[in-house]
Amino acid sequence: MGRTLFEKIWDQHIVQDLGDGWALLHVDRHLLHDLSGPMAFKAIVERGLDVPNPELAFATPDHAVSSAPGRTAATFPTGQRFYDAMVEQTRARGIRLFDLGERGQGIVHVTGPELGLVLPGATVVCADSHTCTNGGLGALAFGVGTSECIHALATQTLRLRRPRTMRVRLDGESGKGVSPKDIILHVIRLLGTDGGVEHAIEFAGGAIEAMTIEGRLTICNLTVEMGARSGLVAPDEKTIDFLRDKPFAPQGEGFELAASAWRLLASDHDAVFDRDVAIDVSQVAPTVTWGTSPGQSIDVDGIVPDPAFEPDPIRREQIVEALGYMGIEGGRPIAGTQVDYVFIGSCANSRLPDLRAAAEIARGRHVATGVTAWVVPGSVAVKRAAEAEGLDRIFRDAGFAWREPGCSMCVAANGEIIPPGKRAVSTSNRNFVGRQGPRARTHLASPAMAAAAAITGIITDVRKI
Ligand SMILES: CC(C)[C@@](O)(CC(=O)O)C(=O)O
Ligand code: SF4
């Protein structure tokens, strides 16, 4: 019987089979950021451990740094100690740090792919649950905890239990105004936030093949929001073209050699997945969350669930609780809900195509009175490319703030919060209680939908703006 793409990459990386589904796997790339990296380094120092392969580790500050124009590490004083620890430890260990202001700095799951650090068939880890993003390039990428991060730094291996395999085939043509973010939110609504637990998910099908690499990265970014640790897309010519000019990808002859190996990375036609799901993306509409979980979403022209019509008492209670926190009523349209903030950013949606989609809506219009709208590019490279084509000018003229790369309001680890009780449309990936600040109310949506909300001041169907 054939093997899936996941099984091929997993098998290629087994250093030691530990039995009962457990194995010691080689870690090809270790990405580090300023929140989780310093914790691991502290333990490495305290335990007197070495880092034998610093050349396979790469670091960047992203969570605890301000996104204010002209920012330095000191702009957000609380974050300074994370930054200092990262600078000190990466220097001491000979680990490449992409520092503030230099190309290569940004949200770790944006910079990894754009630097060519993440390659098809590679294993990639980071102490961050959104490491699954990197699977969009055909890597086997997964988030790890601090102890696993320490293990990977000290041994370049990880002890992992082999997950089951799942394929989500996305076929059909996306409709007007529908982006990869709408598609993945739709998938999570259909399969549930536990739909991928203990599975590695391969996304395949015509809609994936038609998607940009950035779109595939968005799809894989939210794999963890359906309970899976890894999402991946088989590499194709788009993947190869995306990687061709990247600084840390193989160069020249070596690139063509690597590309010929990458072309072989695909699930066998007779491979059998533990679970195989097909979804028609032509049924997907521009989507927005109404509740406090990425799975609580509806079509933007849909009606917020009314708990009175929910037969299951547990689900009914969940709906009541979510509506209470979000301050909205069940049984009413989500469109037209008043918005206070709009955040366009995060490792889900802050790459150049995302900013282009938002700028398309913002062009020649203006942010509604009373709305605060931010655009936070995912990396220095994205920011510079966006500025080279004048996207920053479009946003500034429309009244959006144009900021410096980082996680920013996604999780507000740098103090950039949505104030208590205020309502935000956000292009990030989590709308949990308090995610963007105490009592902040988050509606997840695509960049175009977020821009439409900024312009109208209400949750708006981007197909009608
Ligand atoms: C580290 C944390 C803030 C994180 O970036 C990733 C995580 O959950 O590990 C997030 O988005 O929640
Ligand atoms: S952008 Fe948001 S989701 Fe992504 S790593 Fe940063 S905090 Fe986590």
Side-chain angles (χ1 to χ4, degrees), residues 35-301:
L35 269 198
S36 51
M39 275 190 276
F41 282 130
K42 185 165 174 293
I44 289 273
V45 170
E46 286 166 356
R47 293 163 58 179
L49 297 171
D50 254 347
V51 175
N53 297 99
E55 76 285 0
L56 299 182
F58 300 86
T60 186
D62 55 5
H63 284 72
V65 286
S66 163
S67 70
R71 56 96 190 273
T72 67
T75 311
F76 177 59
T78 314
Q80 179 86 46
R81 62 192 170 87
F82 293 97
Y83 173 82
D84 292 345
M86 172 163 256
V87 169
E88 186 217 328
Q89 278 302 315
T90 49
R91 191 174 295 147
R93 306 287 172 167
I95 290 173
R96 182 73 166 82
L97 170 72
F98 297 97
D99 207 346
L100 296 179
E102 69 167 300
R103 186 188 173 85
Q105 185 273 332
I107 305 169
V108 66
H109 310 310
V110 174
T111 55
E114 77 182 15
L115 287 167
L117 295 175
V118 175
L119 298 172
T123 50
V124 179
V125 302
C126 176
D128 190 286
S129 60
H130 293 99
T131 307
C132 46
T133 308
N134 297 286
L137 282 173
L140 176 53
F142 35 90
V144 294
T146 304
S147 51
E148 289 173 314
C149 180
I150 297 161
H151 190 282
L153 281 171
T155 70
Q156 211 57 41
T157 65
L158 269 184
R159 177 178 172 276
L160 291 164
R161 182 176 196 133
R162 190 186 190 116
R164 289 194 290 271
T165 57
M166 177 170 168
R167 174 168 58 186
V168 175
R169 278 175 301 156
L170 299 171
D171 285 307
E173 291 255 318
S174 307
K176 181 174 176 259
V178 172
S179 76
K181 181 63 158 297
D182 303 295
I183 291 172
I184 190 63
L185 285 174
H186 185 91
V187 169
I188 297 169
R189 185 196 325 163
L190 288 185
L191 300 182
T193 50
D194 58 356
V197 168
E198 291 185 1
H199 285 76
I201 301 178
E202 180 177 345
F203 294 96
I208 287 286
E209 288 158 18
M211 223 175 259
T212 62
I213 295 300
E214 293 85 354
R216 298 175 187 176
L217 293 169
T218 299
I219 293 281
C220 288
N221 176 269
L222 277 92
T223 322
V224 66
E225 310 309 337
M226 51 192 289
R229 210 171 176 186
S230 291
L232 63 166
V233 172
D236 59 7
E237 290 312 310
K238 281 187 185 175
T239 316
I240 290 167
D241 291 344
F242 176 88
L243 287 168
R244 194 172 297 280
D245 61 353
K246 297 299 185 281
F248 288 79
Q251 302 295 317
E253 263 308 294
F255 183 86
E256 298 315 326
L257 216 57
S260 49
W262 296 336
R263 288 189 179 95
L264 303 176
L265 280 173
S267 292
D268 294 327
H269 66 89
D270 58 347
V272 175
F273 291 80
D274 295 306
R275 190 177 175 196
D276 209 339
V277 176
I279 293 173
D280 175 2
V281 303
S282 66
Q283 303 307 308
V284 178
T287 299
V288 61
T289 61
W290 56 269
T292 54
S293 151
Q296 293 176 326
S297 73
I298 48 174
D299 295 357
V300 67
D301 52 3

Side-chain angles (χ1 to χ4, degrees), residues 342-356:
V342 165
F343 170 63
I344 295 172
S346 95
C347 57
N349 280 124
S350 63
R351 299 173 183 86
L352 194 54
D354 299 318
L355 303 190
R356 285 175 180 154

Side-chain angles (χ1 to χ4, degrees), residues 399-448:
F400 290 77
W402 179 250
R403 311 257 320 168
E404 294 295 336
C407 300
S408 181
M409 283 182 165
C410 175
V411 74
N414 68 347
E416 294 169 358
I417 63 166
I418 302 294
K422 295 296 182 188
R423 186 179 309 282
V425 173
S426 180
T427 65
S428 46
N429 45 39
R430 285 177 171 167
N431 55 339
F432 301 152
V433 168
R435 170 75 182 184
Q436 291 187 297
R439 294 197 304 111
R441 291 163 164 166
T442 304
H443 295 272
L444 303 180
S446 72

